[in-house]
Amino acid sequence: MTTIDYSVWDHIEVSDDEDDTHPNIDTPSLFRWRHQARVERMEACHKKGEDLERNLTESRRKLQEAQKKVQELSLLNTEEAKKQLVKAQEEEKRLKKEERSCEKKLEEHQREERKMPWNVDTLSRDGFSKSVLNVKPEVKEETEEEKEEKHKTFVEKYEKQIKHFGMLRRWDDSQKYLSDNPHLVCEETANYLVIMCIDLEVEEKHALMEQVAHQTIVMQFILELAKSLKVDPRGCFRQFFTKIKTADQQYQDAFNDELESFKERVRGRAKVRIEKAMKEYEEEERQKRLGPGGLDPVDVYDSLPMEMQKCFDEKDIQMLQETISKMDPTEAKYHMKRCIDSGLWVPNSRTDDDAEKEEKEEEPQYEEVKKETKE
């Protein structure tokens, strides 16, 4: 059986007009002063609570950004990235401590607020404005295949609209476009914009990449704001634009810092992609060059002694034969076998000059046969 706690009724602040006052005191004025003082105390307490909640929300947002940065830097293997990772981990640790401090201050304030005596104003205030069933909806976690299919379907349907949003420059234009197309305020749009930035950087369209990067961070800030407020991002993007347009310098700096950091990450990803593509191209070309024995003629040529390289440079067979005759037989056999396996040397083949020379040598013999026949 549930027990009702009636102890709160022990600390009720009496109404302003219950006390007996001295005949010489202006009683109505005294009551008004009392009431005004109590209202001011309540407002100050309420404002303090709002400030503490706002500080906690901002602290959690900064911590999420720091954790995200740590995850991204941990995937990179460069020396610079390792140095930045150490700093990012220190910042993450500091922000966790700051978050705990904000939570503790808010909890202390809420305890103090609950201890405040009730009065005529709080007793007459609505305790509940709506009924809420405390039932947690069952959320099915999507698999990687389902996420990929969802992203693909979304992009196929709204690719043109996403690209249009990526090209916008003014805050008001972006807000109006999202107001007309609220379905774009989602993770799929942010993910496509990231890929779009990398593609543009690979194509060396740097200015365009920076423009789309700006819109990418806009979308990511909206999604982070929605997470911190625990609301649908389509319901809070206007709040982001109001905040960014009237924000203090600290909020603007946070946005710009994240934008610059994102552009650096895009350049890094683009560089890796270009290097990978170059390696794949070089490997394809190498495979095309491979000789009958599976060796690369370029590698074989580079491994030959300088004398043999000179023979191949001048395409002088006689010089090659003379060079080989002067070499150690085992070494000569080794190099010639590699030349054959790489296709650098084809045995029993004739050059065009050799064929032409043979044809000329055969012609006089043919004439001599014709003369003998006439005689």
Side-chain angles (χ1 to χ4, degrees):
M1 181 177 179
T2 305
T3 303
I4 301 175
D5 184 10
Y6 291 99
S7 61
V8 293
W9 296 91
D10 297 335
H11 302 284
I12 299 178
E13 192 173 300
V14 295
S15 63
D16 301 318
D17 56 355
E18 283 188 3
D19 290 342
D20 293 330
T21 59
H22 193 275
N24 295 333
I25 296 176
D26 183 7
T27 302
S29 297
L30 176 63
F31 293 161
R32 284 196 303 273
W33 294 335
R34 283 180 178 177
H35 181 265
Q36 182 179 356
R38 186 175 65 245
V39 170
E40 288 176 354
R41 287 197 305 271
M42 289 169 58
E43 289 178 350
C45 181
H46 181 68
K47 185 177 184 303
K48 182 180 178 181
E50 287 183 339
D51 291 341
L52 291 172
E53 288 178 356
R54 192 180 302 109
N55 291 340
L56 178 58
T57 300
E58 183 66 15
S59 177
R60 286 173 175 170
R61 184 188 68 79
K62 291 180 179 179
L63 178 59
Q64 288 176 351
E65 291 177 355
Q67 290 172 337
K68 182 180 178 182
K69 188 174 182 180
V70 169
Q71 291 175 354
E72 291 173 347
L73 289 172
S74 62
L75 299 175
L76 303 176
N77 295 322
T78 63
E79 290 298 325
E80 182 63 25
K82 290 179 182 177
K83 293 178 182 178
Q84 292 181 5
L85 178 60
V86 173
K87 293 181 181 179
Q89 288 173 337
E90 292 176 355
E91 180 68 9
E92 180 187 14
K93 186 177 179 181
R94 185 188 69 79
L95 289 172
K96 282 183 179 179
K97 187 176 180 181
E98 182 180 300
E99 182 191 30
R100 288 194 295 270
S101 175
C102 291
E103 288 176 346
K104 186 177 179 181
K105 289 179 181 178
L106 181 60
E107 289 172 0
E108 289 176 355
H109 172 75
Q110 290 172 343
R111 282 196 297 269
E112 292 297 324
E113 194 174 25
R114 285 193 292 269
K115 290 179 182 178
M116 291 180 65
W118 289 3
N119 55 62
V120 65
D121 294 309
T122 53
L123 286 171
S124 61
R125 183 183 299 166
D126 289 342
F128 301 96
S129 59
K130 61 180 179 180
S131 299
V132 179
L133 293 177
N134 189 19
V135 179
K136 188 176 181 180
E138 185 178 351
V139 179
K140 182 182 177 183
E141 188 174 350
E142 295 179 328
T143 63
E144 290 300 322
E145 291 78 9
E146 289 174 339
K147 289 179 180 179
E148 186 176 347
E149 184 61 29
K150 181 181 178 182
H151 176 78
K152 182 180 177 183
T153 304
F154 184 86
V155 170
E156 287 176 352
K157 189 173 182 180
Y158 300 115
E159 183 176 16
K160 188 176 180 181
Q161 294 179 355
I162 298 173
K163 287 183 176 180
H164 182 85
F165 173 77
M167 300 301 173
L168 297 176
R169 294 179 178 275
R170 299 175 63 249
W171 297 117
D172 292 338
D173 294 339
S174 297
Q175 181 176 352
K176 184 179 184 307
Y177 194 74
L178 292 181
S179 299
D180 296 337
N181 303 278
H183 52 273
L184 295 181
V185 188
C186 61
E187 290 282 352
E188 286 72 27
T189 297
N191 294 337
Y192 183 85
L193 289 173
V194 171
I195 297 171
M196 187 176 172
C197 287
I198 298 173
D199 290 341
L200 290 170
E201 184 64 19
V202 169
E203 296 169 8
E204 298 186 352
K205 298 178 180 177
H206 307 300
L208 199 55
M209 180 279 287
E210 293 187 357
Q211 173 55 39
V212 178
H214 179 275
Q215 296 300 91
T216 306
I217 299 304
V218 167
M219 187 58 63
Q220 289 183 355
F221 260 61
I222 293 172
L223 296 176
E224 288 298 325
L225 178 62
K227 287 180 183 178
S228 64
L229 298 177
K230 297 181 180 179
V231 298
D232 191 306
R234 292 171 295 182
C236 72
F237 69 88
R238 294 178 181 84
Q239 186 174 347
F240 161 77
F241 286 108
T242 300
K243 191 173 183 180
I244 196 67
K245 286 188 287 187
T246 59
D248 56 19
Q249 191 61 40
Q250 184 178 1
Y251 192 77
Q252 288 283 357
D253 291 343
F255 181 91
N256 293 332
D257 289 345
E258 179 59 28
L259 176 58
E260 292 303 318
S261 177
F262 174 71
K263 286 191 288 189
E264 284 301 315
R265 294 195 296 272
V266 167
R267 294 185 186 105
R269 292 280 298 276
K271 184 179 179 182
V272 170
R273 186 191 289 185
I274 292 171
E275 290 174 352
K276 182 180 178 182
M278 289 298 296
K279 288 180 181 178
E280 291 176 353
Y281 174 76
E282 290 173 358
E283 180 60 24
E284 288 177 3
E285 292 298 311
R286 195 184 73 84
Q287 290 293 332
K288 292 177 183 178
R289 292 195 304 264
L290 295 183
L295 297 183
D296 185 352
V298 175
D299 295 340
V300 172
Y301 175 84
D302 291 339
S303 68
L304 293 176
M306 292 297 296
E307 296 81 4
M308 291 187 69
Q309 288 184 5
K310 186 176 179 181
C311 298
F312 282 101
D313 291 340
E314 298 184 9
K315 300 179 182 179
D316 193 327
I317 297 175
Q318 186 175 355
M319 184 190 297
L320 179 61
Q321 291 172 345
E322 292 174 356
T323 302
I324 292 173
S325 64
K326 296 176 183 177
M327 293 172 62
D328 178 76
T330 304
E331 183 183 2
K333 184 178 179 181
Y334 168 77
H335 285 302
M336 287 307 298
K337 185 179 185 308
R338 284 171 55 81
C339 288
I340 293 171
D341 289 343
S342 66
L344 196 61
W345 172 263
V346 181
N348 302 324
S349 66
R350 299 184 304 170
T351 63
D352 293 340
D353 293 340
D354 293 337
E356 186 178 348
K357 185 177 180 181
E358 289 181 6
E359 288 176 2
K360 289 182 178 179
E361 290 175 352
E362 289 176 357
E363 286 178 1
Q365 295 175 359
Y366 177 72
E367 291 294 334
E368 290 176 2
V369 172
K370 284 176 69 177
K371 288 181 181 179
E372 290 177 359
T373 306
K374 288 181 181 180
E375 293 176 352

